[in-house]
Amino acid sequence: MTGDRRPGRPRSEATRRAILAAAIDELTERGYAQLSVEGIAARAGAGKQTIYRWWPSKADVVLDAMLDEAASLIAVPDEGSLAADLAGFLVDTFRQRGQRPVLVGLMAEALLDPVFAVQFRDRFLFGRRDALRTVLARAADRGEIAADVDPEMLLDIVFGVLWYRLLLDHAPLDEEAGRQLATLVVRAAR
Amino acid sequence: MTGDRRPGRPRSEATRRAILAAAIDELTERGYAQLSVEGIAARAGAGKQTIYRWWPSKADVVLDAMLDEAASLIAVPDEGSLAADLAGFLVDTFRQRGQRPVLVGLMAEALLDPVFAVQFRDRFLFGRRDALRTVLARAADRGEIAADVDPEMLLDIVFGVLWYRLLLDHAPLDEEAGRQLATLVVRAAR
Amino acid sequence: MTGDRRPGRPRSEATRRAILAAAIDELTERGYAQLSVEGIAARAGAGKQTIYRWWPSKADVVLDAMLDEAASLIAVPDEGSLAADLAGFLVDTFRQRGQRPVLVGLMAEALLDPVFAVQFRDRFLFGRRDALRTVLARAADRGEIAADVDPEMLLDIVFGVLWYRLLLDHAPLDEEAGRQLATLVVRAAR
Amino acid sequence: MTGDRRPGRPRSEATRRAILAAAIDELTERGYAQLSVEGIAARAGAGKQTIYRWWPSKADVVLDAMLDEAASLIAVPDEGSLAADLAGFLVDTFRQRGQRPVLVGLMAEALLDPVFAVQFRDRFLFGRRDALRTVLARAADRGEIAADVDPEMLLDIVFGVLWYRLLLDHAPLDEEAGRQLATLVVRAAR
DNA sequence: AGATAAACGAGACGGTACGTCACGTCTTAGG
DNA sequence: CCTAAGACGTGACGTACCGTCTCGTTTATCT
């Protein structure tokens, strides 16, 4: 019953989507380093100002695009044991490896722009982190995690390895790696 | 018997040092995002061409500057137990936290420029990694690492957490954290 | 018998006046070069479309504003001699010197936009010119103008000097100048 | 000898000429209103920055171009009588009528930009004015100008008519007009 | 009274050009 | 041959306005 419309022409949903799609396309085709607001606008058939009106930087466009398509892709597994849950989470996450260029670009931007870094952390990274934190909490309830173990450090181990391999690309990020890491984390927790 | 002097004016060591120093100064004062070849040259009282003649990109300048001052700072501890060695290594490493802006900048560049990424890995990251690998090898000899554990994954856990916290700055990177991580890694290894 | 009222909401006279006033205000405060349709609309509390609905360009708004307030300010002096009439006309005209920024702006626009130039000539310049032509015609009847003198050239001399000084601002445009010019024109006519 | 070369790469004369030529070409082809720095740069095969490095505005480029080709085109006639000299000067000046678009554009810019107005006056307009002033001074020596006549007003009459017709384009600016105006000015002077 | 219709404010839209910044290359003179 | 200086072509930045296009709302006339 709201009907609280602001005056003036409403934002064009079609344009919004065209911009997000163009951003992803440009990024995967030419890489984050070559990504430009001008390029996105041109490919989307939009004016530059339309982008600047709604997003503070090109990285925010990309982040929005990611979140738009990956919405609620974060499953919280619950299979009864930490080992199974961890392996499930990691295998599931590693499966999305195709997004590497996007993720690497976003991280690069976050490293260069502190303002964007906050967005990146809060809207993207912490979402996944919260999911895994739930898994750990359940494991703790089942007594699978020793009292003297800080769950946050366990989270950092999981995501640390994940991002380290993602960024450096020096070692595989596949199912085998997921199972290996899960085993080690379970042992470390006790 | 003088040796292989090439003809023409020799490279100026003073200028080389001035450029490296200017790069570090600019970076710490204004941040990596604001770093420019032009700025480095101006501050060093050098010509831009002089920089381009010797380094392919500004990131290489910064990397050289890092390596120049951090030369052989990587100690390989050997105190008789994995726990002690790991804790020593981590505490030692975490102590250099003041270099965060530099490290973050280099990583950002590596993410954006694949050519530089190779330099960064080979000349910087893998140096530390080799040091720690030695530590792990010794621990394996002492039977502190189970046979089914891939030491490379242990390395990734250590450096993963390290870089993850360094890049995200969401949790401390202090002695306490070092000891905590060391404990968990030891447990994971067996 | 009211007449041909079209259906729909009638044009708002209040808005019309607000726009004209805003245009003059903006112009005198910030100069013609800084004048923008957006600025006029904002100051008038009007929508841009309302301006574009009624005027083809911002210059037309300014011209309308000028004509609105200067309506029938053109007196046709008739004092019995060309010298007196001319001096009267010039002194009278020069007295409006405060409008210099407006006039200069309109001329600039006319030079850049041929469509507006026609409006400017027909609705503004030629009005004054007709007034002076009447004066000259009377003088011719009195025999004050030689047969071989083209009155149009005399008009161009008067308005030429007027606009030249107005545009260049290199010499005064005061009563003294008005009398001087009148004297010379009388002599030139015979 | 001097040899006072500044260090660094010297300004490119070829580029300078290409820019001036491109400016004139763009102007005559598309008109002053459509003239853009970007267009000039593109046509000249130059970077925008190169234009901004040497000229404060596009109008200054055009002014330079004008002066470059019209250098010392201002002849000072000396035929023994004011009538002959004036007619000569005017006919000569009117002959360059092809430059109308350029002159009109420069004047428009001068009206909009006070900084450029100074350049325009001092470097262009006052050159012609000085030439004619010399002619009048000689006429005064010969007694052709009454003592009570201000020569500056005579100058304004000549240039006023010239520019008035040039800008408004409502009456011819040909030889016949030149002779007519000359006759009137001679009579006005006495 | 209700329907119709134009004008209005607001403001989003696709564009064009602005003037600036830094890039990496080049062209000088001089050590 | 190296260096400092600095001009060059290039390309992207973020901004300002342009003139057009929806919106919901207001204000009149015409059933």
Side-chain angles (χ1 to χ4, degrees), chain C residues 32-34 100 104-105 107-109 111-113 120-121 125-126 129 146 148-150 152-161 163-165 167-171 176-178 180-181 183-185 187-190, chain D residues 32-34 100 104-105 107-109 111-113 120-121 125-126 129 146 148-150 152-161 163-165 167-171 176-178 180-181 183-185 187-190:
Chain C
Y32 193 87
Q34 314 305 328
R100 184 178 180 263
V104 165
M107 179 60 88
E109 190 72 27
L111 297 183
L112 294 173
D113 176 358
F120 184 52
R121 272 210 296 257
L125 293 179
F126 283 177
R129 195 179 180 90
D148 65 338
V149 172
D150 180 2
E152 294 302 310
M153 182 59 88
L154 288 181
L155 288 173
D156 281 357
I157 287 178
V158 173
F159 288 108
V161 170
W163 276 98
Y164 191 62
R165 292 206 168 182
L167 299 183
L168 259 61
D169 213 18
H170 67 296
E176 166 59 18
Q180 237 187 81
L181 179 54
T183 308
L184 289 180
V185 169
R187 277 197 222 164
R190 158 70 22 177
Chain D
Y32 193 86
Q34 312 305 329
R100 183 178 180 263
V104 164
M107 179 61 88
E109 189 72 27
L111 298 183
L112 294 174
D113 176 357
F120 185 51
R121 272 209 295 258
L125 294 179
F126 283 177
R129 195 179 179 90
D148 65 337
V149 172
D150 181 1
E152 295 301 311
M153 183 59 89
L154 289 181
L155 288 173
D156 281 356
I157 288 178
V158 173
F159 287 109
V161 171
W163 276 99
Y164 191 62
R165 294 208 167 178
L167 300 182
L168 260 61
D169 213 18
H170 67 295
E176 167 60 18
Q180 233 187 86
L181 178 54
T183 309
L184 288 180
V185 170
R187 276 197 223 165
R190 159 86 18 159

Side-chain angles (χ1 to χ4, degrees), chain B residues 125-137:
Chain B
L125 293 180
F126 283 177
R128 330 262 139 171
R129 194 177 180 91
D130 286 345
L132 193 54
R133 189 179 285 117
T134 307
V135 168
L136 291 186

Side-chain angles (χ1 to χ4, degrees), chain B residues 18-60:
Chain B
I19 289 170
L20 295 181
I24 293 294
D25 291 353
E26 283 280 296
L27 201 157
T28 48
E29 274 180 30
R30 320 206 302 140
Y32 193 86
Q34 314 304 329
L35 195 64
S36 72
V37 173
E38 240 144 35
I40 296 172
R43 184 190 273 251
K48 270 201 293 178
Q49 196 58 250
T50 303
I51 295 182
Y52 283 111
R53 198 178 341 263
W54 302 107
W55 293 276
S57 82
K58 65 188 176 188
D60 293 84

